[in-house]
Amino acid sequence: MPRRREARPLAEHYGDLVRVALMEARPAGLHTYQLMTATRLTRSQIGRGIRHVRDVVAAEDLTPITWTRRDGFMFSDDPADWIEYDKRQFRQILGRLTRVITGTLDPHLARYPDDEWAQLATAQLTGVRATLAQLSK
């Protein structure tokens, strides 16, 4: 009786297809639509594959995956590319965090200035905000 093969999680399968396509394109990158053509995956499946590559494959291979508007997704061997990508990510997180502070916590504290939780959250997130601002420069 033939042994049944265990199915791999889909994200891992998609990640493998995305990784192979990006490795074949090196040193160039691929945009989402190019990845869709190369792998025959949908946009959603490409997204899951990219997340898998970022979460698992890049850490194992010690090569981060980066993205630029001009080049798309790519495995770069240049640390300057990694740093620029990291800075963009920190700027994006900083923007989201700033909106949480100014749009939620500040009005919360204005209305209930003695709320200990809001005071703690504001104090902690102000420090994180300052750190992200430094890292994104």
Side-chain angles (χ1 to χ4, degrees):
M1 187 164 179
R3 206 170 92 178
R4 292 187 76 192
R5 199 172 78 157
E6 277 190 42
R8 292 188 305 169
L10 288 177
E12 181 180 345
H13 174 69
Y14 301 153
D16 288 344
L17 294 173
V18 167
R19 180 188 58 78
V20 167
L22 290 174
M23 293 300 284
E24 289 176 355
R26 274 179 105 166
L30 295 173
H31 291 277
T32 302
Y33 70 90
Q34 293 170 316
L35 281 168
M36 290 169 63
T37 301
T39 62
R40 296 187 176 164
L41 295 175
T42 66
R43 181 177 296 275
S44 172
Q45 292 167 334
I46 293 293
R48 289 171 68 183
I50 291 290
R51 284 190 298 276
H52 179 76
V53 170
R54 282 201 174 121
D55 293 346
V56 178
V57 176
E60 290 174 353
D61 294 339
L62 300 178
T63 304
I65 186 172
T66 60
W67 181 88
T68 64
R69 184 181 301 268
R70 187 187 73 199
D71 299 319
F73 295 100
M74 64 189 296
F75 285 115
S76 172
D77 289 325
D78 185 358
D81 291 340
W82 308 340
I83 292 168
E84 189 55 39
Y85 179 76
D86 290 341
K87 286 181 179 183
R88 283 194 316 271
Q89 294 300 305
F90 290 139
R91 279 192 293 273
Q92 186 177 43
I93 295 166
L94 175 61
R96 291 181 71 193
L97 179 61
T98 299
R99 285 189 296 278
V100 167
I101 292 169
T102 60
T104 306
L105 288 172
D106 286 350
H108 182 153
L109 279 174
R111 192 159 182 189
Y112 299 103
D114 296 331
D115 187 323
E116 289 181 35
W117 184 88
Q119 290 173 356
L120 173 65
T122 299
Q124 293 296 315
L125 292 178
T126 299
V128 172
R129 185 179 182 186
T131 301
L132 287 171
Q134 287 296 315
L135 289 172
S136 64
K137 288 183 180 178

